[in-house]
Amino acid sequence: MTEPRARAARHKGQLNFEKELRDLLYAHGDDKDPLPETVRVMDEITTDFIIETCHAASRHATLNGRQKVKLEDFKFVVHGDERLLGRMTELIGMEKELKEARKGFNTDEGKVGLERGGPKKRRRTNKGGEKDEDGEAGDDADDGDDGMEDLVFGPSPTVARRT
């Protein structure tokens, strides 16, 4: 990019891509445990590249009268590097293929009983605005218990009856 920017002080010593860069270096023939200085320098180069690319894309969006950065802004920024543009186009195409493939699968599997939203716990208060000792409202008229369970199954054995 044109002008290198100074890293913000809060990110100065922080490594953003340490694990990924270690794996990348090992995949390209470096030692299993590369030198910390190598990882630090690679991290700075990677972070600076990402920051510069984002700034350039933001600048391009601003020049086009937009506040939001679009994918076309990033394509414009890297249009001079054919390899990078080709890889970006390939990854975008793969992402679209994956989205289409995911749409083909039935996503309702494993959601038995949740098709109606499942049980939701609502906070209810009685007319005075206070909760009862069990956390329920004092008015049982709207809780869906119309006594049909007792008619069909009989009274619950766990309920203590007063005599």
Side-chain angles (χ1 to χ4, degrees), residues 64-81:
N64 285 327
R66 287 182 276 115
Q67 291 181 348
K68 291 187 178 181
V69 178
K70 293 186 175 183
L71 186 60
E72 290 78 30
D73 299 320
F74 284 100
K75 285 183 179 179
F76 179 79
V77 169
V78 299
H79 79 277
D81 188 351

Side-chain angles (χ1 to χ4, degrees), residues 16 18-19 26 45 51 66 69 86 97-98 102 107 110 118 125 128 131 140 151 157 162:
N16 298 315
E18 181 178 9
K19 181 188 179 314
Y26 181 66
I45 291 169
I51 290 171
R66 287 182 276 115
V69 178
E97 287 178 22
L98 285 173
R102 284 187 190 118
T107 57
T125 56
K131 289 185 183 179
D140 289 336
L151 288 176
R162 292 186 183 179

Side-chain angles (χ1 to χ4, degrees), residues 81-140:
D81 188 351
E82 292 179 13
R83 253 180 70 204
L84 188 58
L85 182 61
R87 180 67 175 149
M88 178 187 282
T89 306
E90 180 184 353
L91 289 173
I92 292 167
M94 285 178 17
E95 181 188 18
K96 288 179 182 177
E97 287 178 22
L98 285 173
K99 280 184 180 179
E100 291 298 319
R102 284 187 190 118
K103 286 181 182 177
F105 288 106
N106 185 2
T107 57
D108 293 336
E109 292 180 20
K111 294 185 179 180
V112 177
L114 294 177
E115 54 269 354
R116 285 184 251 144
K120 292 183 181 176
K121 190 155 188 137
R122 293 186 355 207
R123 301 186 94 191
R124 293 180 290 183
T125 56
N126 58 14
K127 292 178 184 176
E130 299 173 5
K131 289 185 183 179
D132 291 339
E133 63 273 352
D134 61 352
E136 294 284 327
D139 185 16
D140 289 336

